Amino acid sequence: MSWLELKTFLNHLPWDSATSRSVRGSTAEEDYWSPDRQLIAATVDAIRELTYVTVKLHGDPKKTRRMRPPEPIPRPGVEKRRNSKVIRFGGKHGSGADQLAQVFGGRATPP
């Protein structure tokens, strides 16, 4: 085999071959998530979110009240959703004056 044939052979190795991984310096898990698989996962996530929105908007409010948005497919480079730090005022925990005072650094009631 000549050097030119070897170069051609190495340039046309499959994306997930051990030699290609070694040249790129990537791991098998990173190569599992090739660009086409990333796009498929993004498409599936979008379809699941659109289905959720459609059911939530057009469904019976009594039945869809506790529905939660779907979690995205776990993949490298995409962080899991975290609980947002939204402060809800009122309801069964009172008027929320103490919570507002904590947020804005003031007192809950006037002197």
Side-chain angles (χ1 to χ4, degrees), residues 96-109:
D98 292 331
Q99 292 172 327
L100 276 173
Q102 288 175 355
V103 170
F104 294 108
R107 294 179 5 167
T109 56

Side-chain angles (χ1 to χ4, degrees), residues 57-80:
L57 289 176
H58 300 293
D60 182 14
K62 292 179 183 176
K63 295 179 181 177
T64 60
R65 178 179 32 215
R66 294 187 181 254
M67 282 183 65
R68 299 286 174 241
E71 291 293 323
I73 295 174
R75 53 192 181 269
V78 178
E79 294 182 12
K80 265 186 108 169

Side-chain angles (χ1 to χ4, degrees), residues 4-79:
L4 182 59
E5 290 173 334
L6 178 62
K7 180 182 175 186
T8 304
F9 174 76
L10 292 176
N11 284 338
H12 291 91
L13 282 174
W15 172 264
D16 58 347
S17 70
T19 306
S20 294
R21 268 198 318 266
S22 176
V23 168
R24 282 192 311 274
S26 61
T27 63
E29 182 180 326
E30 291 171 344
D31 279 345
Y32 178 78
W33 286 99
S34 62
D36 59 338
R37 288 188 184 206
Q38 290 275 4
L39 288 173
I40 291 170
T43 303
V44 169
D45 287 343
I47 291 171
R48 290 172 62 199
E49 287 186 20
L50 287 172
T51 303
Y52 163 77
V53 168
T54 303
V55 170
K56 189 79 172 170
L57 289 176
H58 300 293
D60 182 14
K62 292 179 183 176
K63 295 179 181 177
T64 60
R65 178 179 32 215
R66 294 187 181 254
M67 282 183 65
R68 299 286 174 241
E71 291 293 323
I73 295 174
R75 53 192 181 269
V78 178
E79 294 182 12

